[in-house]
Amino acid sequence: MDRDALADFLVRHRAALTPADVGLGPGARRRTPGLRREEVAQLATMSTDYYTRLEQRRGPQPSTQMLAAIARALRMTTDERDYLYRVAGHSAPERHAVEGYVPPGLMRVLDRLHDTPAMILSALEEPLVQNGPARALFGDAEQFTGWDRSTIYSWFVHPEQARAVYPVEDHAHHGLSKVASLRAAYGTMGPRSRASELAENLYARSEEFAQLWDSQVVARRFEQHKVVVHPQIGRIEVDCQALLTEDASQVLLVLTAPPHSEDAGKLDLLAALGAQSVVGSGSDAGSGSVAGPPNWSTVSP
């Protein structure tokens, strides 16, 4: 780990960005250009103290998960992200691997979505980034690790928690849709990929999954209209729009409701809840956690 190179690299990137570049308001009068350390920490869902220690050359070696979060927060290109990993003492991740890196262009789109649930998912339905309303609706994905981050996995392995966000009458449809999506990812990623590993894992653990997998349904889709359930706000009918990256490895998912409708009002309440969770961002040094709503379900878009 090259502490000097890491610190200099982070400082220069932070200074080159403005709040508008990352979807933040201008805030109070600034003495220096660029983002504040606490703003980077907020965007990366880590404590300000942890991030500050990295810039001051005295922090512990960051994990690859933390580096991916910092690369997203500072809107790094793929080459810049690879350099970040190397000066932090890690090998650069494979360019086509499913991991936490999100292209800056896709992040800029998400930055502009403040008033409706939106998130970026991997091909295996792992939430990579969520805005405030999405965390308020689905729960904070940062609390999960490993396969538990995949909503396909949690749907079949943790059904009571994962399915709570949808009406019971829609469960069968959503289950089939998730398996069809995994089949499509398997077809793209190949038999030695994480998609294959996930399918083998679920086939051995869930009879329901095995039956659906054997049906050979293949479809990379998100329903245009769905009903989601919040424990306090209740049922919300939303329209679902999906923006896929060119290689289909990630998708920006946005939930909206018709203007001035009752459901639009419920989404406004979610936006308020999401803003509260951002203001209360966690103090856990380096944990990647964020204070947010109660964990009433796993993330299951």
Side-chain angles (χ1 to χ4, degrees):
M1 176 178 175
D2 188 336
R3 294 182 184 275
D4 290 339
L6 175 61
D8 290 343
F9 193 57
L10 293 177
V11 170
R12 288 180 180 275
H13 266 275
R14 180 168 61 83
L17 292 171
T18 67
D21 292 332
V22 296
L24 297 177
R29 188 171 182 176
R30 293 172 183 266
R31 297 179 181 177
T32 57
L35 296 178
R36 298 188 175 101
R37 286 171 175 166
E38 57 266 30
E39 290 170 332
V40 177
Q42 173 188 322
L43 292 167
T45 63
M46 64 181 61
S47 74
T48 301
D49 178 68
Y50 180 86
Y51 179 78
T52 299
R53 283 186 285 147
L54 292 178
E55 285 199 0
Q56 293 178 343
R57 301 166 170 80
R58 59 186 181 90
Q61 182 184 32
S63 66
T64 56
Q65 181 182 8
M66 299 304 290
L67 292 172
I70 292 172
R72 288 198 305 267
L74 293 175
R75 306 305 190 256
M76 293 184 182
T77 66
T78 308
D79 289 335
E80 291 166 341
R81 177 211 58 180
D82 290 353
Y83 178 80
L84 176 70
Y85 273 64
R86 292 188 182 104
V87 296
H90 295 282
S91 298
E94 294 181 16
R95 290 295 179 102
H96 300 291
V98 178
E99 42 87 27
Y101 176 75
V102 177
L106 196 59
M107 285 296 303
R108 285 194 292 270
V109 178
L110 182 66
D111 289 339
R112 285 156 176 75
L113 299 171
H114 301 288
D115 59 351
T116 196
M119 67 192 81
I120 297 172
L121 302 165
S122 75
L124 303 184
E125 296 192 14
E126 299 158 302
L128 303 176
V129 191
Q130 301 166 283
N131 68 2
R135 285 193 298 270
L137 179 58
F138 296 115
D140 185 4
E142 290 290 333
Q143 63 189 298
F144 303 109
T145 59
W147 285 125
D148 283 336
R149 285 186 65 84
S150 168
T151 67
I152 301 172
Y153 179 88
S154 61
W155 185 267
F156 295 100
V157 177
H158 308 297
E160 291 187 7
Q161 297 89 352
R163 303 182 189 193
V165 75
Y166 293 119
V168 174
E169 60 270 21
D170 294 342
H171 287 182
H173 173 72
H174 285 300
L176 178 59
S177 179
K178 289 182 179 299
V179 175
S181 178
L182 179 56
R183 270 242 178 237
Y186 175 86
T188 300
M189 299 169 67
R192 296 184 178 179
S193 65
R194 292 180 73 242
S196 175
E197 182 182 345
L198 177 56
E200 291 177 4
N201 190 328
L202 287 173
Y203 199 92
R205 299 193 61 170
S206 170
E207 182 178 349
E208 179 186 3
F209 174 87
Q211 292 176 349
L212 293 172
W213 184 259
D214 289 340
S215 68
Q216 299 285 332
V217 177
V218 183
R220 178 69 170 158
R221 65 174 183 269
F222 292 90
E223 292 75 20
Q224 291 185 343
H225 188 80
K226 65 171 65 176
V227 177
V228 292
V229 182
H230 187 278
Q232 297 166 303
I233 298 175
R235 293 168 63 99
I236 312 173
E237 293 193 30
V238 294
D239 295 314
C240 178
Q241 300 298 323
L243 174 63
L244 287 165
T245 56
E246 187 175 355
D247 63 359
S249 65
Q250 295 178 1
V251 60
L252 171 63
L253 194 65
V254 184
L255 306 182
T256 63
H260 313 300
S261 65
E262 179 182 355
D263 295 299
K266 293 179 180 180
L267 291 182
D268 289 339
L269 290 177
L270 277 176
L273 289 174
Q276 291 172 10
S277 72
V278 170
V279 170
S281 295
S283 58
D284 255 351
S287 68
S289 64
V290 168
N295 176 23
W296 50 74
S297 72
T298 56
V299 183
S300 186

